Amino acid sequence: MLLSCLQENLNRGLGIVGRAVATRTTLPITQNVLLATDQSLLKLSATNLEIAISTWIGAKVETEGAITVPARLLSEFVGSLPAERVDMEVAGGGRSIQLRCGRFQARFNGTDAEEFPPIPRVEDGVLARMEPQALRTAIGQVAFAAATEDSRPVLTGVKVELGRDLVTLAAADGFRLAVHYGRLLEPIAEPSGMIVPARTLTELSRLLGDQEEPVEMVLTPQKSQVLFRLKNIEVVSQLVQGTFPSYAQLIPSSYSTRAVVSRADFQQATRAASIFARDGSGIVRLQVVPGKDGMGGKLVVSARAEEIGDDQGELEASVEGEEAKIAFNYRYLSDLLAAIDTQQVALEASSPSSPGVVRPVGSESYVHVVMPMFVQW
């Protein structure tokens, strides 16, 4: 293999695929990055066997070839080079690669490309297209609610349901549920569903920042893998196998109290309360107080820790229904308020022991359900 490319393009490409490089593994080669020529482009690929990321960068290819090189060392070296042309040449029977850039040069011992785990090719299956920033918003509102422990593997994923022209993302960890309702760019022929690892969607979200073209989603006929195709980037992920909880049944259909407040004020009050909640079992207490004659309602946000003290913040609220009290884990409350971008949010509650619901006001695209914490009022 003999080719040349720009340092900035190579550095950016290594940064993209580096997110899929294995950190702890019993298969050392998954700590490498695959460099291969592909139709007059340089293809970079990495995989940790759960997710694989590939990207293509412009290059002047003189001789075709491929090699795998330790990803961390290559990334660090390329990142230290000046913004000039990088010449690459594979030597040693495909076992080493020489890099030259300006007055710098280095040789890396590599591994035969044939030993690298094959990157799955996803050609056939369900094809859906989404606007990139809409997908990024959906991921941002849902993925954080997935479980991080593997005790129930199915909850470490995000349920993605593709309807005719609708897409629904849902995640739950047993204590909270986040659901986002969105639209596809055009109807699909066959509605389908899958459970995508939350880690995959988090990495995908990072790649969507500069994306302008629609994102394509392809589900394999066996429903074991999914491909997300971006401009010059492909992300292939294994799917989580199992049955996701029937989340629609977990969303309360009614409430006895509803309070509409400023999201920014609610977030600020929660941030202040969390200082005390950290030493008080993580509990933030919410008390909804209706106003007289339908005017002047308020939401009281408080927390206390026996050895430190307590705090209380009062927010103006438009209250519908009776007085209500409910307590949440402050992290869950902070996470969901950070995921909402509307000016106002609605808090819906039925009793201190029933799940609370938070929705953005003026949008039907998101709902978040949180299990309450039991406290002495």
Side-chain angles (χ1 to χ4, degrees), residues 21 171 215 228 290 294 338 364:
V21 174
V215 179
F228 296 94
E364 299 293 327

Side-chain angles (χ1 to χ4, degrees), residues 163-233:
R164 178 164 171 75
D165 59 352
L166 301 174
V167 59
T168 303
L169 277 70
D173 63 3
F175 301 98
R176 55 183 170 177
L177 165 69
V179 184
H180 176 94
Y181 307 96
R183 287 196 168 274
L184 302 175
L185 286 175
E186 62 260 336
I188 59 175
E190 180 187 352
S192 190
M194 53 187 157
I195 305 175
V196 184
R199 288 190 293 264
T200 295
L201 293 180
T202 299
E203 297 303 337
L204 177 65
S205 180
R206 290 189 174 99
L207 300 174
L208 291 173
D210 300 327
Q211 178 80 3
E212 295 181 356
E213 293 81 357
V215 179
E216 295 182 351
M217 290 180 280
V218 183
L219 175 63
T220 61
Q222 297 80 16
K223 297 187 177 181
S224 60
Q225 296 171 326
V226 63
L227 163 71
F228 296 94
R229 185 178 290 122
L230 290 68
K231 181 182 180 182
N232 298 326
I233 301 174

Side-chain angles (χ1 to χ4, degrees), residues 51-108:
I51 180 176
I53 301 178
S54 300
T55 187
W56 287 258
I57 64 174
K60 181 180 179 182
V61 179
E62 296 185 28
T63 306
E64 304 275 338
I67 190 174
T68 80
V69 185
R72 183 177 61 84
L73 294 178
L74 182 61
S75 295
E76 290 179 351
F77 179 72
V78 171
S80 70
L81 295 175
E84 299 179 18
R85 189 184 73 184
V86 178
D87 297 313
M88 288 185 277
E89 182 178 3
V90 172
R95 297 281 181 168
S96 68
I97 185 169
Q98 185 103 10
L99 268 70
R100 297 186 183 86
C101 180
R103 298 185 178 183
F104 297 86
Q105 65 176 7
R107 183 180 63 84
F108 293 89

Side-chain angles (χ1 to χ4, degrees), residues 284-298:
V284 170
R285 293 169 168 83
L286 305 178
Q287 182 177 4
V288 180
V289 182
K292 294 181 180 180
D293 300 323
M295 301 292 290
K298 64 182 179 181

Side-chain angles (χ1 to χ4, degrees), residues 107-161:
R107 183 180 63 84
F108 293 89
N109 292 328
T111 307
D112 194 312
E114 294 294 326
E115 299 180 26
F116 196 76
I119 303 298
R121 299 291 299 174
V122 183
E123 301 293 345
D124 300 322
V126 175
L127 175 62
R129 299 169 75 243
M130 276 194 74
E131 197 274 324
Q133 295 313 310
L135 178 56
R136 192 181 190 198
T137 297
I139 294 171
Q141 290 188 336
V142 168
F144 68 87
T148 55
E149 298 180 357
D150 293 332
S151 55
R152 292 184 64 187
V154 72
L155 295 184
T156 64
V158 174
K159 176 71 172 179
V160 179
E161 293 184 335

